[in-house]
Short mmCIF file of all heavy atoms in Angstrom, two decimals:
data_model
loop_
_atom_site.label_atom_id
_atom_site.label_comp_id
_atom_site.label_asym_id
_atom_site.label_seq_id
_atom_site.Cartn_x
_atom_site.Cartn_y
_atom_site.Cartn_z
N MET G 15 -37.38 1.68 -67.37
CA MET G 15 -36.89 2.34 -66.29
C MET G 15 -35.73 3.28 -66.60
O MET G 15 -35.01 3.18 -67.62
CB MET G 15 -36.23 1.29 -65.37
CG MET G 15 -37.38 0.42 -64.63
SD MET G 15 -36.65 -0.68 -63.43
CE MET G 15 -36.18 -2.07 -64.51
N ASP G 16 -35.63 4.42 -65.80
CA ASP G 16 -34.66 5.52 -66.09
C ASP G 16 -34.09 5.98 -64.79
O ASP G 16 -34.58 7.01 -64.17
CB ASP G 16 -35.50 6.59 -66.76
CG ASP G 16 -34.45 7.74 -67.11
OD1 ASP G 16 -33.32 7.54 -67.05
OD2 ASP G 16 -34.98 8.76 -67.36
N TYR G 17 -33.33 5.15 -64.22
CA TYR G 17 -32.75 5.49 -62.82
C TYR G 17 -31.62 6.54 -63.00
O TYR G 17 -30.70 6.49 -63.64
CB TYR G 17 -32.17 4.30 -62.27
CG TYR G 17 -33.15 3.43 -61.55
CD1 TYR G 17 -33.69 2.27 -62.24
CD2 TYR G 17 -33.66 3.74 -60.22
CE1 TYR G 17 -34.77 1.54 -61.53
CE2 TYR G 17 -34.71 2.99 -59.57
CZ TYR G 17 -35.18 1.86 -60.22
OH TYR G 17 -36.15 1.07 -59.75
N ARG G 18 -31.88 7.59 -62.06
CA ARG G 18 -30.94 8.68 -61.88
C ARG G 18 -30.30 8.43 -60.47
O ARG G 18 -30.99 7.94 -59.54
CB ARG G 18 -31.53 10.04 -61.87
CG ARG G 18 -32.50 10.30 -63.11
CD ARG G 18 -31.68 10.21 -64.42
NE ARG G 18 -32.55 10.22 -65.57
CZ ARG G 18 -33.00 11.43 -66.13
NH1 ARG G 18 -32.59 12.60 -65.74
NH2 ARG G 18 -33.85 11.32 -67.18
N THR G 19 -29.09 8.79 -60.31
CA THR G 19 -28.32 8.37 -59.06
C THR G 19 -27.63 9.62 -58.42
O THR G 19 -27.17 10.40 -59.20
CB THR G 19 -27.17 7.27 -59.42
OG1 THR G 19 -27.74 6.28 -60.03
CG2 THR G 19 -26.36 6.96 -58.33
N TRP G 20 -27.79 9.75 -57.07
CA TRP G 20 -27.16 10.77 -56.36
C TRP G 20 -26.56 10.01 -55.16
O TRP G 20 -27.02 9.05 -54.53
CB TRP G 20 -28.31 11.71 -55.75
CG TRP G 20 -28.91 12.48 -56.76
CD1 TRP G 20 -28.58 13.76 -57.24
CD2 TRP G 20 -30.18 12.10 -57.60
NE1 TRP G 20 -29.50 14.21 -58.24
CE2 TRP G 20 -30.39 13.21 -58.33
CE3 TRP G 20 -30.96 10.98 -57.57
CZ2 TRP G 20 -31.56 13.19 -59.26
CZ3 TRP G 20 -32.02 10.81 -58.46
CH2 TRP G 20 -32.26 12.06 -59.29
N GLU G 21 -25.34 10.46 -54.74
CA GLU G 21 -24.71 9.82 -53.66
C GLU G 21 -23.87 11.10 -52.75
O GLU G 21 -23.62 12.15 -53.26
CB GLU G 21 -23.40 9.09 -54.14
CG GLU G 21 -23.88 7.85 -54.93
CD GLU G 21 -22.70 7.01 -55.26
OE1 GLU G 21 -22.14 6.34 -54.47
OE2 GLU G 21 -22.46 7.01 -56.57
N ALA G 22 -23.90 10.70 -51.41
CA ALA G 22 -23.29 11.60 -50.57
C ALA G 22 -22.70 10.69 -49.42
O ALA G 22 -23.50 9.99 -48.69
CB ALA G 22 -24.10 12.69 -50.01
N GLY G 23 -21.39 10.66 -49.19
CA GLY G 23 -20.89 9.78 -48.21
C GLY G 23 -21.21 8.30 -48.55
O GLY G 23 -20.92 8.05 -49.66
N ALA G 24 -21.71 7.62 -47.56
CA ALA G 24 -21.97 6.23 -47.80
C ALA G 24 -23.34 5.98 -48.49
O ALA G 24 -23.74 4.84 -48.56
CB ALA G 24 -21.85 5.46 -46.58
N ILE G 25 -24.08 6.99 -48.63
CA ILE G 25 -25.51 6.87 -48.99
C ILE G 25 -25.66 7.11 -50.49
O ILE G 25 -25.24 8.10 -50.94
CB ILE G 25 -26.37 7.96 -48.22
CG1 ILE G 25 -26.40 7.52 -46.74
CG2 ILE G 25 -27.92 7.90 -48.82
CD1 ILE G 25 -27.12 8.49 -45.80
N LYS G 26 -26.46 6.18 -51.11
CA LYS G 26 -26.72 6.30 -52.45
C LYS G 26 -28.30 6.31 -52.67
O LYS G 26 -28.89 5.40 -52.12
CB LYS G 26 -26.09 5.29 -53.36
CG LYS G 26 -26.43 5.47 -54.86
CD LYS G 26 -25.56 4.50 -55.65
CE LYS G 26 -25.98 3.05 -55.59
NZ LYS G 26 -25.19 2.21 -56.64
N ILE G 27 -28.91 7.20 -53.42
CA ILE G 27 -30.22 7.31 -53.73
C ILE G 27 -30.37 7.27 -55.15
O ILE G 27 -29.79 7.97 -55.94
CB ILE G 27 -30.94 8.41 -53.11
CG1 ILE G 27 -30.88 8.39 -51.61
CG2 ILE G 27 -32.40 8.52 -53.59
CD1 ILE G 27 -31.55 9.62 -50.94
N GLU G 28 -31.29 6.28 -55.61
CA GLU G 28 -31.69 6.15 -57.03
C GLU G 28 -33.14 6.40 -57.20
O GLU G 28 -33.94 5.90 -56.49
CB GLU G 28 -31.26 4.87 -57.67
CG GLU G 28 -29.87 4.51 -57.51
CD GLU G 28 -29.52 3.17 -57.87
OE1 GLU G 28 -29.69 2.20 -57.05
OE2 GLU G 28 -29.20 2.91 -59.00
N VAL G 29 -33.61 7.19 -58.20
CA VAL G 29 -34.92 7.44 -58.54
C VAL G 29 -35.35 7.04 -60.01
O VAL G 29 -34.46 7.46 -60.84
CB VAL G 29 -35.26 8.88 -58.28
CG1 VAL G 29 -36.82 9.06 -58.60
CG2 VAL G 29 -35.12 9.34 -56.80
N ASP G 30 -36.20 6.26 -60.17
CA ASP G 30 -36.76 5.89 -61.54
C ASP G 30 -37.46 7.04 -62.05
O ASP G 30 -38.66 7.19 -61.70
CB ASP G 30 -37.38 4.61 -61.44
CG ASP G 30 -37.82 4.13 -62.87
OD1 ASP G 30 -37.70 4.87 -63.87
OD2 ASP G 30 -38.36 3.09 -62.84
N TYR G 31 -36.94 7.78 -62.94
CA TYR G 31 -37.65 8.95 -63.59
C TYR G 31 -38.80 8.58 -64.51
O TYR G 31 -39.70 9.30 -64.73
CB TYR G 31 -36.85 9.88 -64.24
CG TYR G 31 -36.24 11.04 -63.21
CD1 TYR G 31 -36.43 10.81 -61.80
CD2 TYR G 31 -35.54 12.06 -63.68
CE1 TYR G 31 -35.81 11.80 -60.96
CE2 TYR G 31 -35.08 13.14 -62.84
CZ TYR G 31 -35.28 12.98 -61.56
OH TYR G 31 -34.81 13.91 -60.60
N ASP G 32 -38.78 7.23 -64.96
CA ASP G 32 -40.01 6.77 -65.64
C ASP G 32 -41.18 6.60 -64.72
O ASP G 32 -42.27 6.83 -65.17
CB ASP G 32 -39.68 5.50 -66.45
CG ASP G 32 -38.94 5.72 -67.62
OD1 ASP G 32 -38.95 6.87 -68.20
OD2 ASP G 32 -38.27 4.76 -68.24
N ALA G 33 -40.74 6.10 -63.56
CA ALA G 33 -41.95 5.82 -62.51
C ALA G 33 -42.34 6.91 -61.69
O ALA G 33 -43.43 7.01 -61.48
CB ALA G 33 -41.46 4.55 -61.70
N CYS G 34 -41.48 7.82 -61.46
CA CYS G 34 -41.77 9.10 -60.61
C CYS G 34 -42.92 9.79 -61.18
O CYS G 34 -42.66 10.27 -62.40
CB CYS G 34 -40.49 9.87 -60.26
SG CYS G 34 -40.94 11.35 -59.32
N ASN G 35 -44.00 10.11 -60.52
CA ASN G 35 -45.03 10.85 -61.19
C ASN G 35 -45.12 12.20 -60.54
O ASN G 35 -46.07 12.98 -60.75
CB ASN G 35 -46.33 10.20 -60.99
CG ASN G 35 -46.79 9.91 -59.51
OD1 ASN G 35 -46.23 10.49 -58.63
ND2 ASN G 35 -47.87 9.08 -59.45
N GLY G 36 -44.15 12.59 -59.65
CA GLY G 36 -44.09 13.90 -59.03
C GLY G 36 -45.19 14.20 -58.05
O GLY G 36 -45.59 15.44 -57.82
N ASN G 37 -45.77 13.27 -57.44
CA ASN G 37 -46.84 13.47 -56.52
C ASN G 37 -46.37 14.11 -55.18
O ASN G 37 -47.23 14.68 -54.40
CB ASN G 37 -47.70 12.22 -56.20
CG ASN G 37 -47.03 11.21 -55.40
OD1 ASN G 37 -45.73 11.42 -55.14
ND2 ASN G 37 -47.67 10.17 -54.86
N GLY G 38 -45.13 14.09 -54.97
CA GLY G 38 -44.67 14.76 -53.71
C GLY G 38 -44.66 14.03 -52.39
O GLY G 38 -44.24 14.65 -51.36
N THR G 39 -45.04 12.87 -52.50
CA THR G 39 -45.11 12.15 -51.15
C THR G 39 -43.74 12.01 -50.55
O THR G 39 -43.68 12.15 -49.39
CB THR G 39 -45.65 10.60 -51.46
OG1 THR G 39 -46.98 10.73 -52.00
CG2 THR G 39 -45.68 9.82 -50.20
N CYS G 40 -42.68 11.67 -51.18
CA CYS G 40 -41.27 11.58 -50.65
C CYS G 40 -40.96 12.95 -50.03
O CYS G 40 -40.36 12.96 -48.85
CB CYS G 40 -40.38 11.16 -51.66
SG CYS G 40 -40.28 12.18 -53.16
N VAL G 41 -41.28 14.04 -50.69
CA VAL G 41 -41.06 15.38 -50.19
C VAL G 41 -41.74 15.59 -48.71
O VAL G 41 -41.15 16.04 -47.86
CB VAL G 41 -41.45 16.35 -51.09
CG1 VAL G 41 -41.24 17.92 -50.53
CG2 VAL G 41 -40.74 16.34 -52.35
N GLU G 42 -42.97 15.02 -48.73
CA GLU G 42 -43.74 15.24 -47.45
C GLU G 42 -43.34 14.30 -46.28
O GLU G 42 -43.30 14.71 -45.19
CB GLU G 42 -45.19 15.08 -47.82
CG GLU G 42 -45.81 16.01 -48.67
CD GLU G 42 -47.15 15.57 -49.38
OE1 GLU G 42 -47.80 14.57 -48.70
OE2 GLU G 42 -47.67 16.16 -50.16
N VAL G 43 -43.03 13.08 -46.65
CA VAL G 43 -42.68 12.12 -45.55
C VAL G 43 -41.27 12.17 -45.10
O VAL G 43 -41.03 11.76 -44.07
CB VAL G 43 -43.11 10.71 -45.95
CG1 VAL G 43 -44.52 10.53 -46.38
CG2 VAL G 43 -42.17 10.23 -47.05
N CYS G 44 -40.30 12.69 -45.75
CA CYS G 44 -38.90 12.75 -45.44
C CYS G 44 -38.77 13.72 -44.24
O CYS G 44 -39.07 14.88 -44.45
CB CYS G 44 -38.04 13.16 -46.59
SG CYS G 44 -36.26 13.30 -45.99
N PRO G 45 -38.26 13.30 -43.09
CA PRO G 45 -38.26 14.09 -41.87
C PRO G 45 -37.03 14.99 -42.01
O PRO G 45 -36.83 15.87 -41.19
CB PRO G 45 -38.05 13.17 -40.75
CG PRO G 45 -37.44 11.90 -41.47
CD PRO G 45 -38.06 11.83 -42.86
N ALA G 46 -36.06 14.76 -42.93
CA ALA G 46 -34.91 15.46 -43.14
C ALA G 46 -34.84 16.50 -44.28
O ALA G 46 -33.78 17.06 -44.54
CB ALA G 46 -33.66 14.63 -43.29
N GLU G 47 -36.01 16.57 -44.98
CA GLU G 47 -36.15 17.55 -46.09
C GLU G 47 -35.22 17.23 -47.17
O GLU G 47 -34.50 18.19 -47.65
CB GLU G 47 -36.16 19.01 -45.65
CG GLU G 47 -37.42 19.22 -44.63
CD GLU G 47 -37.48 20.69 -44.24
OE1 GLU G 47 -36.59 21.53 -44.50
OE2 GLU G 47 -38.46 20.96 -43.61
N VAL G 48 -34.87 15.96 -47.42
CA VAL G 48 -33.86 15.61 -48.46
C VAL G 48 -34.32 15.91 -49.83
O VAL G 48 -33.55 16.33 -50.65
CB VAL G 48 -33.54 14.10 -48.29
CG1 VAL G 48 -32.84 13.59 -49.46
CG2 VAL G 48 -32.76 13.85 -47.11
N TYR G 49 -35.66 15.80 -50.05
CA TYR G 49 -36.15 15.90 -51.51
C TYR G 49 -36.79 17.25 -51.80
O TYR G 49 -37.48 17.92 -50.99
CB TYR G 49 -37.20 14.79 -51.63
CG TYR G 49 -36.68 13.39 -51.57
CD1 TYR G 49 -36.86 12.70 -50.47
CD2 TYR G 49 -36.08 12.77 -52.72
CE1 TYR G 49 -36.30 11.45 -50.28
CE2 TYR G 49 -35.68 11.46 -52.63
CZ TYR G 49 -35.80 10.86 -51.44
OH TYR G 49 -35.25 9.61 -51.37
N VAL G 50 -36.68 17.69 -53.09
CA VAL G 50 -37.53 18.74 -53.63
C VAL G 50 -37.99 18.31 -54.96
O VAL G 50 -37.43 17.40 -55.60
CB VAL G 50 -36.63 20.10 -53.71
CG1 VAL G 50 -36.23 20.65 -52.42
CG2 VAL G 50 -35.62 19.82 -54.82
N LEU G 51 -39.05 18.87 -55.46
CA LEU G 51 -39.64 18.51 -56.79
C LEU G 51 -38.98 19.62 -57.75
O LEU G 51 -38.98 20.85 -57.36
CB LEU G 51 -41.27 18.65 -56.71
CG LEU G 51 -41.92 17.54 -56.14
CD1 LEU G 51 -43.39 17.73 -56.23
CD2 LEU G 51 -41.44 16.15 -56.65
N GLN G 52 -38.55 19.03 -58.83
CA GLN G 52 -38.20 20.00 -59.95
C GLN G 52 -38.74 19.38 -61.23
O GLN G 52 -38.46 18.23 -61.57
CB GLN G 52 -36.70 20.03 -59.98
CG GLN G 52 -35.90 20.76 -58.82
CD GLN G 52 -34.40 20.73 -58.90
OE1 GLN G 52 -33.91 20.24 -59.78
NE2 GLN G 52 -33.76 21.24 -57.85
N TYR G 53 -39.52 20.26 -61.86
CA TYR G 53 -40.13 19.79 -63.14
C TYR G 53 -40.93 18.44 -62.97
O TYR G 53 -40.76 17.55 -63.76
CB TYR G 53 -39.03 19.65 -64.27
CG TYR G 53 -38.36 20.84 -64.55
CD1 TYR G 53 -37.06 21.13 -64.11
CD2 TYR G 53 -39.00 21.93 -65.21
CE1 TYR G 53 -36.26 22.26 -64.21
CE2 TYR G 53 -38.24 23.21 -65.35
CZ TYR G 53 -36.95 23.37 -64.94
OH TYR G 53 -36.30 24.45 -65.20
N ASP G 54 -41.56 18.45 -61.93
CA ASP G 54 -42.43 17.25 -61.50
C ASP G 54 -41.75 15.92 -61.33
O ASP G 54 -42.25 14.81 -61.63
CB ASP G 54 -43.50 16.94 -62.72
CG ASP G 54 -44.63 18.13 -62.61
OD1 ASP G 54 -44.88 18.56 -61.53
OD2 ASP G 54 -45.27 18.31 -63.75
N LYS G 55 -40.42 16.00 -61.03
CA LYS G 55 -39.72 14.80 -60.66
C LYS G 55 -39.11 15.20 -59.31
O LYS G 55 -38.69 16.37 -59.04
CB LYS G 55 -38.58 14.40 -61.66
CG LYS G 55 -39.12 14.20 -63.16
CD LYS G 55 -40.03 12.94 -63.10
CE LYS G 55 -40.49 12.64 -64.53
NZ LYS G 55 -41.45 11.50 -64.55
N THR G 56 -38.79 14.13 -58.47
CA THR G 56 -38.14 14.47 -57.10
C THR G 56 -36.61 14.46 -57.40
O THR G 56 -36.12 13.61 -58.12
CB THR G 56 -38.59 13.23 -56.08
OG1 THR G 56 -38.26 13.81 -54.85
CG2 THR G 56 -37.96 11.89 -56.34
N VAL G 57 -36.10 15.21 -56.51
CA VAL G 57 -34.41 15.35 -56.61
C VAL G 57 -34.00 15.31 -55.19
O VAL G 57 -34.39 16.15 -54.36
CB VAL G 57 -34.11 16.59 -57.27
CG1 VAL G 57 -32.50 16.65 -57.47
CG2 VAL G 57 -34.70 16.73 -58.75
N PRO G 58 -33.22 14.39 -54.73
CA PRO G 58 -32.70 14.40 -53.35
C PRO G 58 -31.48 15.18 -53.28
O PRO G 58 -30.30 14.91 -53.37
CB PRO G 58 -32.33 12.91 -53.18
CG PRO G 58 -31.97 12.46 -54.62
CD PRO G 58 -32.80 13.15 -55.51
N VAL G 59 -31.83 16.49 -52.99
CA VAL G 59 -30.74 17.67 -53.04
C VAL G 59 -29.97 17.66 -51.70
O VAL G 59 -28.80 18.24 -51.79
CB VAL G 59 -31.36 18.90 -53.34
CG1 VAL G 59 -31.93 18.99 -54.80
CG2 VAL G 59 -32.45 19.40 -52.30
N ASN G 60 -30.50 17.02 -50.63
CA ASN G 60 -29.93 17.00 -49.29
C ASN G 60 -29.61 15.78 -48.70
O ASN G 60 -29.90 15.46 -47.58
CB ASN G 60 -30.79 17.99 -48.33
CG ASN G 60 -31.02 19.41 -48.78
OD1 ASN G 60 -29.94 20.11 -49.11
ND2 ASN G 60 -32.23 19.88 -48.71
N ILE G 61 -28.97 15.00 -49.57
CA ILE G 61 -28.62 13.56 -48.97
C ILE G 61 -27.94 13.58 -47.67
O ILE G 61 -27.96 12.81 -46.85
CB ILE G 61 -27.92 12.67 -50.12
CG1 ILE G 61 -28.89 12.49 -51.23
CG2 ILE G 61 -27.53 11.40 -49.49
CD1 ILE G 61 -28.20 11.65 -52.36
N GLU G 62 -27.00 14.53 -47.59
CA GLU G 62 -26.14 14.57 -46.40
C GLU G 62 -27.00 14.77 -45.08
O GLU G 62 -26.50 14.54 -43.95
CB GLU G 62 -25.04 15.77 -46.50
CG GLU G 62 -25.73 17.05 -46.84
CD GLU G 62 -26.00 17.49 -48.29
OE1 GLU G 62 -25.80 16.55 -49.00
OE2 GLU G 62 -26.45 18.51 -48.48
N GLU G 63 -28.20 15.18 -45.16
CA GLU G 63 -29.10 15.26 -44.17
C GLU G 63 -29.82 13.96 -43.76
O GLU G 63 -30.56 13.84 -42.79
CB GLU G 63 -30.08 16.41 -44.39
CG GLU G 63 -29.56 17.73 -44.52
CD GLU G 63 -28.72 18.32 -43.43
OE1 GLU G 63 -29.19 17.99 -42.17
OE2 GLU G 63 -27.53 18.90 -43.58
N CYS G 64 -29.76 12.96 -44.57
CA CYS G 64 -30.54 11.79 -44.63
C CYS G 64 -30.34 11.12 -43.19
O CYS G 64 -29.17 10.94 -42.79
CB CYS G 64 -30.15 10.88 -45.68
SG CYS G 64 -31.06 9.31 -45.62
N ILE G 65 -31.31 10.51 -42.51
CA ILE G 65 -31.16 9.90 -41.31
C ILE G 65 -31.46 8.32 -41.52
O ILE G 65 -31.68 7.67 -40.49
CB ILE G 65 -32.06 10.42 -40.15
CG1 ILE G 65 -33.51 10.46 -40.55
CG2 ILE G 65 -31.70 11.81 -39.85
CD1 ILE G 65 -34.58 10.66 -39.39
N GLU G 66 -31.64 7.84 -42.71
CA GLU G 66 -31.72 6.54 -43.11
C GLU G 66 -32.96 5.98 -42.52
O GLU G 66 -32.89 4.76 -41.99
CB GLU G 66 -30.53 5.75 -42.66
CG GLU G 66 -29.22 6.40 -43.46
CD GLU G 66 -27.97 5.80 -42.86
OE1 GLU G 66 -27.59 4.49 -43.26
OE2 GLU G 66 -27.21 6.49 -42.13
N CYS G 67 -34.04 6.58 -42.54
CA CYS G 67 -35.35 5.98 -41.97
C CYS G 67 -36.17 5.24 -42.87
O CYS G 67 -37.07 4.55 -42.48
CB CYS G 67 -36.24 7.26 -41.43
SG CYS G 67 -36.85 8.21 -42.73
N CYS G 68 -35.87 5.39 -44.21
CA CYS G 68 -36.49 4.59 -45.22
C CYS G 68 -38.07 5.00 -45.47
O CYS G 68 -38.65 4.35 -46.24
CB CYS G 68 -36.48 3.03 -44.94
SG CYS G 68 -34.74 2.56 -44.89
N ALA G 69 -38.46 6.16 -44.90
CA ALA G 69 -39.81 6.55 -45.25
C ALA G 69 -39.99 6.77 -46.69
O ALA G 69 -41.16 6.60 -47.15
CB ALA G 69 -40.17 7.75 -44.38
N CYS G 70 -39.02 7.39 -47.29
CA CYS G 70 -39.16 7.69 -48.81
C CYS G 70 -39.53 6.46 -49.61
O CYS G 70 -40.39 6.42 -50.40
CB CYS G 70 -38.08 8.47 -49.34
SG CYS G 70 -36.47 7.60 -49.04
N VAL G 71 -38.72 5.49 -49.34
CA VAL G 71 -38.74 4.19 -50.14
C VAL G 71 -40.19 3.50 -49.82
O VAL G 71 -40.80 3.01 -50.71
CB VAL G 71 -37.58 3.17 -49.68
CG1 VAL G 71 -37.84 1.86 -50.40
CG2 VAL G 71 -36.32 3.86 -50.04
N GLU G 72 -40.53 3.39 -48.43
CA GLU G 72 -41.74 2.77 -48.17
C GLU G 72 -43.03 3.43 -48.59
O GLU G 72 -44.08 2.82 -48.82
CB GLU G 72 -41.74 2.54 -46.55
CG GLU G 72 -40.53 1.69 -46.25
CD GLU G 72 -40.39 1.68 -44.64
OE1 GLU G 72 -41.08 2.41 -43.96
OE2 GLU G 72 -39.43 1.01 -44.27
N ASN G 73 -42.99 4.83 -48.65
CA ASN G 73 -44.22 5.50 -49.06
C ASN G 73 -44.38 5.90 -50.51
O ASN G 73 -45.54 6.41 -50.81
CB ASN G 73 -44.36 6.68 -48.05
CG ASN G 73 -44.67 6.31 -46.69
OD1 ASN G 73 -45.76 5.96 -46.32
ND2 ASN G 73 -43.49 6.35 -45.81
N CYS G 74 -43.31 5.76 -51.29
CA CYS G 74 -43.52 6.01 -52.70
C CYS G 74 -44.53 5.07 -53.41
O CYS G 74 -44.32 3.94 -53.38
CB CYS G 74 -42.27 5.93 -53.49
SG CYS G 74 -42.48 6.33 -55.21
N PRO G 75 -45.65 5.67 -53.80
CA PRO G 75 -46.70 4.78 -54.45
C PRO G 75 -46.31 4.15 -55.74
O PRO G 75 -46.83 3.17 -56.24
CB PRO G 75 -47.86 5.67 -54.65
CG PRO G 75 -47.28 7.06 -54.80
CD PRO G 75 -46.01 7.04 -53.90
N GLN G 76 -45.23 4.60 -56.39
CA GLN G 76 -44.68 4.16 -57.59
C GLN G 76 -43.54 3.27 -57.35
O GLN G 76 -42.89 2.79 -58.39
CB GLN G 76 -44.26 5.39 -58.47
CG GLN G 76 -45.31 6.28 -58.92
CD GLN G 76 -46.32 5.64 -59.85
OE1 GLN G 76 -47.48 5.28 -59.45
NE2 GLN G 76 -45.96 5.47 -60.98
N GLN G 77 -43.01 3.11 -56.17
CA GLN G 77 -41.80 2.34 -55.85
C GLN G 77 -40.76 2.66 -56.78
O GLN G 77 -39.90 1.94 -57.39
CB GLN G 77 -42.15 0.86 -56.00
CG GLN G 77 -43.27 0.33 -55.15
CD GLN G 77 -43.53 -1.24 -55.23
OE1 GLN G 77 -43.74 -1.74 -56.38
NE2 GLN G 77 -43.53 -1.85 -54.16
N ALA G 78 -40.56 4.03 -56.80
CA ALA G 78 -39.54 4.57 -57.71
C ALA G 78 -38.20 4.83 -57.06
O ALA G 78 -37.14 5.14 -57.72
CB ALA G 78 -40.15 5.97 -58.25
N ILE G 79 -38.09 4.75 -55.71
CA ILE G 79 -36.90 5.09 -54.92
C ILE G 79 -36.14 3.94 -54.49
O ILE G 79 -36.74 3.01 -53.90
CB ILE G 79 -37.21 5.97 -53.80
CG1 ILE G 79 -37.97 7.21 -54.24
CG2 ILE G 79 -35.89 6.33 -53.01
CD1 ILE G 79 -38.36 8.23 -53.11
N ARG G 80 -34.79 3.85 -54.75
CA ARG G 80 -33.99 2.72 -54.20
C ARG G 80 -33.02 3.62 -53.30
O ARG G 80 -32.49 4.65 -53.57
CB ARG G 80 -33.18 2.26 -55.40
CG ARG G 80 -33.95 1.24 -56.08
CD ARG G 80 -32.89 0.82 -57.13
NE ARG G 80 -33.55 -0.30 -58.12
CZ ARG G 80 -32.97 -0.64 -59.18
NH1 ARG G 80 -31.82 -0.10 -59.58
NH2 ARG G 80 -33.51 -1.67 -60.00
N HIS G 81 -32.75 3.09 -52.09
CA HIS G 81 -31.87 3.77 -51.08
C HIS G 81 -30.92 2.67 -50.64
O HIS G 81 -31.34 1.61 -50.19
CB HIS G 81 -32.75 4.32 -50.02
CG HIS G 81 -32.00 5.26 -49.13
ND1 HIS G 81 -30.97 4.81 -48.21
CD2 HIS G 81 -32.27 6.54 -48.78
CE1 HIS G 81 -30.60 5.81 -47.52
NE2 HIS G 81 -31.22 6.85 -47.80
N SER G 82 -29.73 3.10 -50.49
CA SER G 82 -28.69 2.14 -50.10
C SER G 82 -28.88 1.57 -48.70
O SER G 82 -28.35 0.52 -48.40
CB SER G 82 -27.23 2.68 -50.33
OG SER G 82 -27.20 4.00 -49.47
N SER G 83 -29.56 2.30 -47.86
CA SER G 83 -29.73 1.80 -46.53
C SER G 83 -30.98 1.15 -46.24
O SER G 83 -31.31 0.61 -45.13
CB SER G 83 -29.62 3.10 -45.55
OG SER G 83 -28.36 3.66 -45.72
N CYS G 84 -31.87 1.06 -47.22
CA CYS G 84 -33.24 0.55 -47.11
C CYS G 84 -33.58 -0.73 -47.77
O CYS G 84 -32.89 -1.07 -48.88
CB CYS G 84 -34.28 1.65 -47.40
SG CYS G 84 -33.99 3.06 -46.59
S1 SF4 U 276 -43.08 9.58 -53.76
FE1 SF4 U 276 -42.45 8.56 -55.56
S2 SF4 U 276 -43.65 9.12 -57.26
FE2 SF4 U 276 -43.94 10.57 -55.70
S3 SF4 U 276 -42.52 12.33 -56.14
FE3 SF4 U 276 -41.40 10.80 -54.73
S4 SF4 U 276 -40.36 9.34 -56.16
FE4 SF4 U 276 -41.88 10.50 -57.35
S1 SF4 U 277 -34.24 7.51 -45.83
FE1 SF4 U 277 -35.62 8.94 -44.53
S2 SF4 U 277 -34.33 10.65 -44.03
FE2 SF4 U 277 -33.36 9.49 -45.83
S3 SF4 U 277 -34.17 10.41 -47.64
FE3 SF4 U 277 -35.51 8.65 -47.26
S4 SF4 U 277 -37.16 9.53 -46.01
FE4 SF4 U 277 -35.52 11.08 -46.03
#
């Protein structure tokens, strides 16, 4: 595992870069456009827009995302 961490306010998102395969599901399902793909890995660049719906965590086929609210 290779967890990278991003935080904004009370929200922390961690992504396991060993597990992330860059398929873009989190980018597609996030209603707040929090994620973008960079070099085939997801990056939560807009955490401040997160509405804590947990769709990213629930839909990642690699179970690569940890979210402090989910
Ligand atoms: S859904 Fe999971 S595997 Fe796919 S890009 Fe997002 S974090 Fe990576
Ligand atoms: S919890 Fe919902 S709004 Fe927040 S990053 Fe995940 S999918 Fe996007």
Side-chain angles (χ1 to χ4, degrees):
M15 290 184 277
D16 178 17
Y17 276 96
R18 311 296 172 93
T19 303
W20 295 263
E21 293 182 76
I25 296 176
K26 180 168 76 172
I27 294 177
E28 297 170 281
V29 180
D30 181 356
Y31 270 14
D32 279 341
C34 177
N35 63 12
N37 72 348
T39 299
C40 54
V41 178
E42 294 170 13
V43 301
C44 177
E47 300 185 355
V48 167
Y49 296 96
V50 298
L51 287 181
Q52 293 179 0
Y53 303 104
D54 288 332
K55 302 293 181 185
T56 195
V57 185
V59 294
N60 294 314
I61 295 180
E62 56 277 2
E63 301 297 326
C64 176
I65 60 169
E66 302 171 74
C67 71
C68 300
C70 54
V71 174
E72 294 169 357
N73 288 283
C74 173
Q76 298 293 106
Q77 299 182 312
I79 301 175
R80 291 175 176 168
H81 190 299
S82 56
S83 303
C84 305

